Each structure stands twice: as C-alpha cells, then as structure tokens.
Amino acid sequence: GDSVTQMEGPVTLSEEAFLTINCTYTATGYPSLFWYVQYPGEGLQLLLKATKADDKGSNKGFEATYRKETTSFHLEKGSVQVSDSAVYFCALVGYGGATNKLIFGTGTLLAVQP
Amino acid sequence: GAGVSQTPSNKVTEKGKYVELRCDPISGHTALYWYRQSLGQGPEFLIYFQGTGAADDSGLPNDRFFAVRPEGSVSTLKIQRTERGDSAVYLCASSLQRGSYNEQFFGPGTRLTVL
C-alpha cells in the first residue's frame, strides 16, 4: 500500500540556518503530496502542497518540490526562525482515491535555538 | 469563524470501559475524517464520512470501534471494551467536499488514556 517515509528527528538548528527535512513516498500513480505542521499546543495545519510532478509548493518561506523520478518531496527553508519550532509531517493522498484520506509519515521534530 | 472542535480534550478511562469522543466540524463541511495518532507516530486514518454515511471505514482497527454522523454534522467515535493499546490522540478533520482534494482542517484532538 501507499506509504511515506521521512527523516527521524529531532532536528536541532540555530536561527537563520538552512533546513532540509527529507521525505520519500511509495504510491501507485500520481499522488498529491503535502507538508503539515503542528506547533506546540496547536492542531495540525496544512503548510504546503503539490499535486503533480515538478510542482513546487511554498508557504511562509518553506518550499518543497514534487520529484516523481526520486519519489521525494523534501521540505526546505533558507533561514529558520525560533518560531518555526514544531513537528512537521509529510503526507500523501493516493491518486484516484475515493476518500482523499491522508497517509502520514512519522513526523520530524524541529527545534530552532536562538 | 470557528474551527473544528473536539470534546473532551482529555479522557482517562479504565480498561474494559466504553467511551465516546465527539467532533464538531466546520459549518458547511460535508466531508469528515477521523484519525488516530499514537505517541511518536503520524496520524493514521480510521474512517471517512461524506454527509451522514460512512463512505470508507477501512481504517477502523476492529469491531470495538464505531462512528456515527446522524445528521451530517457532528460525529461521535465510539470505542467499546477499551484496551490499553487504544491510548492515543484521536483527531477529527473536515473538508468542504469530496472530489479533487480539498484541504482538511484538523481539530485539536482528544487524548485518550486507558489505564
């Protein structure tokens, strides 16, 4: 079945450092890909998405490119801030699925130090 | 406007007891999802409602789990004969409709602890 694998955390960075969180997926066809973020004490929020190969999703300085050839959707940010500290989840919705159910990775905790 | 709400925020129960978890979706959202998030894991799909009907319950782990949405709005997840392995955060999400992907908006979750 469809699955998502993302790098284990925690990832600890200093403010203004470059961030990469790796995400790869296994799915038939052309899934839609997502990054969700969970800030401390808050619910899951959609950060960005991409629905077809070579699409780039972006939001709040974060970017991720849908790479069909490497089945990847890595999350990047050029300069992280303390306020970016959160748990980040990579997820997919299978192609042609009737329910749009999300399949999540295990999450990566990001801690940004001042 | 109001987001997805879930009650209670925390529930502690004893093994073997029955529990109900409630989800109040965003007004007008016809699609509703339940997910379960165990410690250190990502959320896992349980069940999906389109309107009043359960369109996909393939994620329910066994027949102790059941969910309803009688009027197409509020949903209740029901767990019978709870087990310690049921301890997790139960998340509810809603979206405008099925079809091409519509963003799912998540509630804060109910943390269930089975002693």
Side-chain angles (χ1 to χ4, degrees):
Chain A
D2 297 350
S3 66
V4 174
T5 302
Q6 62 182 105
M7 65 187 286
E8 292 188 15
V11 174
T12 304
L13 296 173
S14 297
E15 208 164 21
E16 300 183 0
F18 183 85
L19 168 70
T20 300
I21 300 179
N22 290 336
C23 171
T24 57
Y25 67 89
T26 300
T28 55
Y30 298 88
S32 295
L33 303 175
F34 308 86
W35 279 98
Y36 274 79
V37 59
Q38 188 168 35
Y39 297 104
E42 298 185 17
L44 277 167
Q45 303 173 25
L46 179 63
L47 180 60
L48 53 85
K49 69 179 183 183
T51 57
K52 62 182 187 294
D54 300 324
D55 265 4
K56 178 184 285 187
S58 61
N59 186 24
K60 300 182 180 180
F62 290 89
E63 294 183 337
T65 302
Y66 188 142
R67 300 288 188 199
K68 181 70 174 174
E69 63 276 13
T70 54
T71 61
S72 65
F73 193 55
H74 305 321
L75 182 68
E76 296 181 337
K77 187 174 185 182
S79 175
V80 294
Q81 305 300 312
V82 172
S83 58
D84 293 327
S85 299
V87 181
Y88 292 82
F89 293 92
C90 186
L92 67 81
V93 166
Y95 177 74
T99 68
N100 287 331
K101 64 186 179 187
L102 285 157
I103 296 171
F104 287 90
T106 54
T108 302
L109 173 62
L110 171 64
V112 180
Q113 300 176 336
Chain B
V4 178
S5 62
Q6 293 186 245
T7 54
S9 55
N10 281 283
K11 176 70 176 176
V12 179
T13 190
E14 293 179 344
K15 180 175 177 299
K17 298 291 189 182
Y18 168 84
V19 296
E20 290 189 352
L21 312 178
R22 176 188 168 109
C23 171
D24 214 324
I26 294 172
S27 178
H29 281 192
T30 59
L32 185 146
Y33 303 79
W34 284 98
Y35 295 84
R36 179 169 72 172
Q37 186 174 14
S38 300
L39 192 63
Q41 301 296 316
E44 293 180 314
F45 169 78
L46 293 177
I47 187 169
Y48 157 67
F49 287 90
Q50 182 57 41
T52 60
D56 183 354
D57 65 358
S58 62
L60 294 178
N62 50 61
D63 61 5
R64 296 187 296 105
F65 289 74
F66 188 72
V68 296
R69 194 185 186 199
E71 298 178 355
S73 178
V74 170
S75 176
T76 304
L77 179 65
K78 308 180 180 193
I79 310 174
Q80 299 177 321
R81 305 183 305 279
T82 51
E83 300 177 357
R84 293 194 179 89
D86 299 335
S87 296
V89 176
Y90 289 81
L91 300 171
C92 176
S94 69
S95 68
L96 273 173
Q97 61 186 20
R98 192 176 65 82
S100 60
Y101 184 79
N102 288 282
E103 180 179 349
Q104 294 182 31
F105 294 84
F106 282 81
T110 294
R111 182 176 298 278
L112 175 67
T113 303
V114 182
L115 301 177

